[in-house]
Amino acid sequence: MIISSAPMTMAKYFTIRNNYFTALSVILAFLTTALGDSLSLLYLARPEVPMTMATTDSQRKFTNPSNYYFPHDRLTRVMRDSSKIPIVLVACGSFSPVTYLHLRMFEMAKDYVRQNTDFEIVGGYLSPVSDMYKKAGLLSANHRVEMCTIAADDISMPWLMVDPWEALQSYQRTAVVLDHFDHELNIVLGGVQTEDGEHRNVQVMLLAGSDLISTMSEPGVWSHEDLDHILGRYGCFIIERAGTDVDQAIDSLARWRHNIHIISQLIQNDVSSTKVRLFLRRGLSVRYLLPSRVVDYINENNLYIDEAAAAEKEKGKGKEHQLRKIEESCA
Ligand SMILES: Nc1ncnc2c1ncn2[C@@H]1O[C@H](COP(=O)(O)OP(=O)(O)OP(=O)(O)O)[C@@H](O)[C@H]1O
Ligand SMILES: NC(=O)c1ccc[n+]([C@@H]2O[C@H](COP(=O)(O)O)[C@@H](O)[C@H]2O)c1
């Protein structure tokens, strides 16, 4: 149970993510220079969103948004190996839009779990953040949930689901989100079973990139009680991400080190939603950076239209040649 939490602002959190964003800035600065304007800086603007901290209790009754049901159709209810500990992976984030790297995080975690742990993954969830998070480029929750649902609806990932609980209400801290999963999986559904019919509680674990974990070392972004709750009670898998020094990121999290699993990216790939939005804004192709059906959804619904309109405007300013050059270099 979390007893208290210190007030803090999301502005500070976004400032602290600068390590990652500095690396991203270099890439964006390159594109910006090539285009000869400063529009891409808009993407780096961090919002001023106050995050009011409330108390949480894992035993509390959760209020669900209307018409909400907890998705569990792809949850493995009977474990394959009773000697293992059943876990569910939860990835929290904006997913604006969801990319292949978000999906790949689950695959990397699956390999790591099989090779290095006594866990058995019985399900995975994408949990898009609420609109109240107000991060730059955050599309409405309905669209983000829909894009995640399309992305997760892939027969090659039959254990991945999208939970709209967090997205469809006011901002919820990650500790509360993990409590919600714990409640739904273990209290409402009653956990899972072994082949012999023995009941097992499911261990909820956070799945995140190292840019997110680096913010946990900084005072004022996450309360100590929340960190203790997330890393002490639940635990997490951290996917290495270019631009973040993982060792430095977890330096001050040493007391929970046994519950923090670091997963190296053997093939460096730093696709990000920011870059995808930038490409869309420039009218560049984003195919093969995210599932085709998500690209179709974006096009059909004219999403990130402001960005596309900005690109049109640039063409009007006679920058077609430069755009073509970038497009060619990205082909
Ligand atoms: N290329 C990547 N490598 C490792 N982790 C990633 C990668 N892309 C996203 N993540 C992780 O996925 C989670 C959700 O990410 P989020 O929705 O913020 O995507 P993002 O690409 O970082 O978005 P944005 O560019 O808008 O900040 C976070 O924990 C983030 O660290
Ligand atoms: N104190 C907290 O619970 C806290 C602080 C910072 C970020 N977060 C979460 O981390 C995720 C970050 O998402 P982005 O990577 O899209 O910014 C979001 O789900 C956000 O709610 C939680």
Side-chain angles (χ1 to χ4, degrees), residues 8 10 13-14 17 51 53 92-95 127 129 133 135 166 171-175 211-212 215 221-223 226 230:
M8 61 187 66
M10 289 313 297
Y13 161 65
F14 286 121
R17 284 188 70 179
M51 188 171 72
M53 306 296 284
C92 296
S94 303
F95 307 113
S127 182
V129 75
Y133 192 48
K135 184 177 166 181
E166 185 185 351
Y171 180 78
Q172 302 292 329
R173 286 155 29 241
T174 301
D211 58 313
L212 183 65
T215 69
V221 180
W222 304 72
S223 70
D226 276 14
I230 295 166

Side-chain angles (χ1 to χ4, degrees), residues 13 17 20-21 24 46 91-99 101-102 105 108 133 135-137 207-213 239-242 265 269-275 277:
Y13 161 65
R17 284 188 70 179
Y20 166 65
F21 282 107
L24 190 54
R46 305 284 92 206
C92 296
S94 303
F95 307 113
S96 184
V98 63
T99 71
L101 249 295
H102 293 130
M105 292 203 308
M108 284 187 259
Y133 192 48
K135 184 177 166 181
L207 176 63
S210 52
D211 58 313
L212 183 65
I213 202 86
I239 310 286
E240 191 189 13
R241 190 169 188 179
Q265 279 215 46
N269 189 338
D270 199 28
V271 171
S272 74
S273 301
T274 303
K275 289 178 193 166
R277 291 195 303 273

Side-chain angles (χ1 to χ4, degrees), residues 75-208:
L75 190 70
T76 301
R77 303 303 301 274
V78 180
M79 295 178 65
R80 282 176 288 271
D81 184 346
S82 58
S83 68
K84 307 258 174 171
I85 299 161
I87 62 166
V88 152
L89 303 176
V90 178
C92 296
S94 303
F95 307 113
S96 184
V98 63
T99 71
Y100 271 133
L101 249 295
H102 293 130
L103 302 179
R104 192 143 168 78
M105 292 203 308
F106 287 89
E107 287 294 303
M108 284 187 259
K110 192 174 85 176
D111 284 344
Y112 177 94
V113 162
R114 199 181 56 243
Q115 292 175 350
N116 304 287
T117 74
D118 289 329
F119 298 136
E120 177 178 322
I121 300 175
V122 293
Y125 289 90
L126 292 164
S127 182
V129 75
S130 157
D131 285 342
M132 298 308 286
Y133 192 48
K134 294 200 171 153
K135 184 177 166 181
L138 196 67
L139 209 63
S140 80
N142 284 333
H143 281 311
R144 289 182 291 114
V145 168
E146 190 57 32
M147 287 189 284
C148 286
T149 306
I150 292 170
D153 183 24
D154 180 338
I155 47 164
S156 58
M157 290 189 87
W159 50 286
L160 186 61
M161 293 159 276
V162 182
D163 184 8
W165 183 84
E166 185 185 351
L168 302 179
Q169 57 177 312
S170 59
Y171 180 78
Q172 302 292 329
R173 286 155 29 241
T174 301
V176 177
V177 175
L178 297 185
D179 281 348
H180 152 75
F181 277 97
D182 188 35
H183 175 80
E184 291 289 346
L185 289 163
N186 292 315
I187 310 290
V188 180
L189 288 178
V192 294
Q193 290 192 335
T194 63
E195 278 183 337
D196 299 334
E198 195 187 314
H199 165 266
R200 291 283 167 82
N201 260 4
V202 175
Q203 174 83 30
V204 175
M205 297 185 82
L206 182 67
L207 176 63

